[in-house]
Amino acid sequence: MGKDDGRGGDDVDTSTSTSSTPSSTSSSSLFVLGLTGSIGMGKSAVAAMFSRRGIPVLDADAVVRDLYSPGGAAVPLVDAAFPNCLSSDDGSSDGAGSSSSSIDRTKLAARVVGDPQALDRLNAIVHPLVESERQRWLCRVQESGKRLAVLDVPLLFETGGDAAVDAVAVVSTSAEAQRSRVLARPGMSESKFEGILARQMPDSEKRKRADFVIDTEVSLEETEAHVSALIDGLRGRKGAGKWRGKV
């Protein structure tokens, strides 16, 4: 599959079989596009463009947010592994496992950032839960009759998720535009930005490995036109079913 360097606005590091088991014939008909890109590249805006065209999009960051929210499957597991990282919906910080408890991501980040072993423990809890939700979601999309789905995953290459999709589209822009966008965010600093970049695959490498590149250093109209052309080009393609049991 040739790379499309078309001209074509963000990211969380933590990204089984189901009771619904589609046939091998139907599973191979769903084409799964992995959408990824480093911080500040415009991936969220591009994902929204796919959604506006009626393409189902699963946001890996949103899945994690749900898992960390009150009632989320990750809450008791993360609480057991990392005590005192809970908050409750009344604003208190001692949720103590109640139904209103959620994970305080600022507290959790303070426990795992800079500690590879702690991060590995967290990933071992969260990744299987995210994978299960992706499997359920893809099965639902397939059963709905859709033939194209997008998985929006910030660290798709870094986690090996590219092996479970049919093609990868990388959202990219110049280093200057990326830096300007990210440093304009509230609470962002040069050191924090550099730390995030250090945990992500270089954009140049992502572009090399991509099947399609969506360059966002153009107008939104041009980017949307490129996304529409990409969707039209993918219509009719059949997936290989690589996502089943692997995403």
Side-chain angles (χ1 to χ4, degrees), residues 39-52:
I39 185 173
M41 293 299 186
K43 180 177 58 60
S44 295
V46 169
M49 293 174 185
F50 278 96
S51 292
R52 285 196 291 273

Side-chain angles (χ1 to χ4, degrees), residues 193-213:
F193 176 48
E194 294 299 332
I196 293 171
L197 287 182
R199 298 193 296 272
Q200 297 184 339
M201 180 182 290
D203 179 58
S204 58
E205 180 63 22
K206 290 180 180 179
R207 293 176 70 107
K208 289 178 184 177
R209 296 177 61 175
D211 298 287
F212 308 99
V213 176

Side-chain angles (χ1 to χ4, degrees), residues 3-140:
K3 181 182 296 186
D4 178 351
D5 266 321
R7 304 288 294 173
D10 259 44
D11 300 339
V12 160
D13 281 6
T14 52
S15 57
T16 66
S17 60
T18 69
S19 59
S20 174
T21 307
S23 68
S24 59
T25 299
S26 62
S27 67
S28 65
S29 65
L30 177 64
F31 191 96
V32 180
L33 177 69
L35 181 69
T36 193
S38 300
I39 185 173
M41 293 299 186
K43 180 177 58 60
S44 295
V46 169
M49 293 174 185
F50 278 96
S51 292
R52 285 196 291 273
R53 282 291 306 270
I55 306 302
V57 177
L58 182 68
D59 180 348
D61 286 355
V63 172
V64 175
R65 286 194 295 270
D66 287 344
L67 290 170
Y68 285 175
S69 296
V75 174
L77 301 176
V78 173
D79 180 40
F82 302 94
N84 304 315
C85 286
L86 290 181
S87 63
S88 59
D89 60 5
D90 62 4
S92 64
S93 58
D94 58 351
S98 71
S99 60
S100 64
S101 300
S102 62
I103 299 299
D104 186 318
R105 298 182 71 167
T106 301
K107 292 179 181 179
L108 182 60
R111 297 282 294 274
V112 302
V113 172
D115 185 339
Q117 290 184 334
L119 185 58
D120 285 345
R121 290 203 311 275
L122 178 61
N123 287 339
I125 294 168
V126 177
H127 283 179
L129 298 174
V130 174
E131 290 165 5
S132 293
E133 177 52 33
R134 289 177 188 165
Q135 289 289 322
R136 289 191 291 269
W137 183 82
L138 286 166
C139 284
R140 292 195 299 269

